């Protein structure tokens, strides 16, 4: 736990990427009308959940007025509404709602993080920003020694997880795993990588991702960890 505490402090104090630091701080100061009474977090977002988790859910980055506002990953936006509702439905969360970092939410056997820890302009991190955040994901993976299933929300998170593992010296299979919704890859280091469309408004409003499709991912996850 001390290692996680130190890692979380290191992440939330990070100012390596000047563009991201400037942007998230500006958003926290300017706010938006509907959240004008909020005291925005405005800092990088550490991972959240059970340090003994077997399931690791990884997304792209905090939302400017979601995690960047509330101080917790996938919290305070529509994507988080979908994610934590699904985690609750399959026994990984104690409640279906995630509104702010002190709302009483706890996760069991599940950990949630993003591959980039600051809200990026236009939700598009640069290659250098991915690289700067990669050591944080590496350290989380190292500390989460019981993980059996990775759920990658979106192609970018899927590909970045594999790059991170490669940077850790793991042998990524050839041909390289390709993202699609519901895909499963049993990787050589004993982890199953599951792909899911990201629960973004763009995907959920258009029907690219439906609630039964999303719940199907976590039904699969439950089956994958059931033998334990």
């Amino acid at each position: 736990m001390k290692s996680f505490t130190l890692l979380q402090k290191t992440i939330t104090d990070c100012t390596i990427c000047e563009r991201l630091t400037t942007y998230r701080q500006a958003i926290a100061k300017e706010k938006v009308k509907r959240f004008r009474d909020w005291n925005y977090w405005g800092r990088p977002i550490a991972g959240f959940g059970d340090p003994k988790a077997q399931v690791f859910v990884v997304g792209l980055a905090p939302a400017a007025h979601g995690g960047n506002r509330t101080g917790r990953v996938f919290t305070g936006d529509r994507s988080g509404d979908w994610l934590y509702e699904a985690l609750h439905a399959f026994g990984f969360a104690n409640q279906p709602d995630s509104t702010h970092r002190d709302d009483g939410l706890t996760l069991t056997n599940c950990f949630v993080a993003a591959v980039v820890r600051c809200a990026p302009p236009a939700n598009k991190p640069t290659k250098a920003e991915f690289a700067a955040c990669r050591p944080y994901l590496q350290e989380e993976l190292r500390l989460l020694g019981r993980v059996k299933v990775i759920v990658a929300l979106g192609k970018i998170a899927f590909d970045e997880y594999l790059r991170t593992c490669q940077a850790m010296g793991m042998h990524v299979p050839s041909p390289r795993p390709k993202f699609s919704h519901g895909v499963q890859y049993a990787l050589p280091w004993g982890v199953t990588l599951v792909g899911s469309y990201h629960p973004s408004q763009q995907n959920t409003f258009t029907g690219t991702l439906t609630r039964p499709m999303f719940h199907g991912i976590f039904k699969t996850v439950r089956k994958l960890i059931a033998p334990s």
Side-chain angles (χ1 to χ4, degrees):
M1 288 300 293
K2 288 182 179 178
S3 295
F4 262 110
T5 300
L6 178 59
L7 176 59
Q8 290 172 340
K9 184 178 189 306
T10 301
I11 292 171
T12 59
D13 288 345
C14 183
T15 56
I16 292 173
C17 301
E18 183 177 353
R19 187 182 81 114
L20 296 187
T21 300
T22 299
Y23 179 73
R24 61 174 165 75
Q25 290 177 346
I27 290 293
K29 183 177 180 181
E30 296 164 6
K31 308 181 183 182
V32 290
K33 186 176 181 180
R34 67 186 183 278
F35 297 129
R36 64 180 180 274
D37 296 329
W38 272 80
N39 181 20
Y40 273 52
W41 174 256
R43 300 166 69 186
I45 309 295
F48 166 72
D50 185 350
K52 297 181 180 180
Q54 293 176 295
V55 178
F56 191 164
V57 180
V58 62
L60 171 56
H65 302 287
N68 189 56
R69 170 174 60 90
T70 63
R72 189 168 65 204
V73 65
F74 278 103
T75 295
D77 61 17
R78 294 289 181 87
S79 295
D81 292 345
W82 273 61
L83 175 60
Y84 290 113
E85 187 270 339
L87 291 178
H88 177 260
F90 289 90
F92 294 109
N94 68 323
Q95 61 191 45
D97 304 310
S98 180
T99 56
H100 58 88
R101 63 185 180 275
D102 297 317
D103 61 7
L105 176 68
T106 59
L107 301 184
T108 301
N109 210 15
C110 183
F111 193 89
V112 181
V115 295
V116 171
R117 307 310 169 113
C118 294
N123 206 33
K124 293 182 178 180
T126 66
K127 288 183 179 180
E129 289 160 356
F130 278 115
C133 272
R134 199 167 293 139
Y136 299 141
L137 183 57
Q138 290 180 26
E139 186 63 9
E140 284 172 342
L141 291 170
R142 187 186 69 80
L143 291 171
L144 293 165
R146 298 180 71 241
V147 168
K148 291 187 175 182
V149 180
I150 299 287
V151 180
L153 302 179
K155 183 180 187 301
I156 294 175
F158 185 94
D159 292 342
E160 184 59 26
Y161 168 73
L162 292 173
R163 291 190 191 99
T164 301
C165 291
Q166 202 162 17
M168 296 171 72
M170 299 174 187
H171 177 68
V172 174
S174 180
R176 198 175 186 87
K178 292 184 178 180
F179 174 81
S180 65
H181 183 79
V183 72
Q184 298 177 45
Y185 288 96
L187 299 172
W189 48 94
V191 167
T192 300
L193 174 59
V194 178
S196 171
Y197 289 141
H198 192 288
S200 64
Q201 291 188 47
Q202 180 180 353
N203 286 335
T204 59
F205 283 8
T206 61
T208 300
L209 179 66
T210 64
R211 187 162 272 106
M213 288 170 64
F214 198 51
H215 278 216
I217 294 294
F218 293 97
K219 183 177 181 179
T220 294
V221 169
R222 266 292 168 205
K223 290 180 180 178
L224 287 170
I225 65 171
S228 64

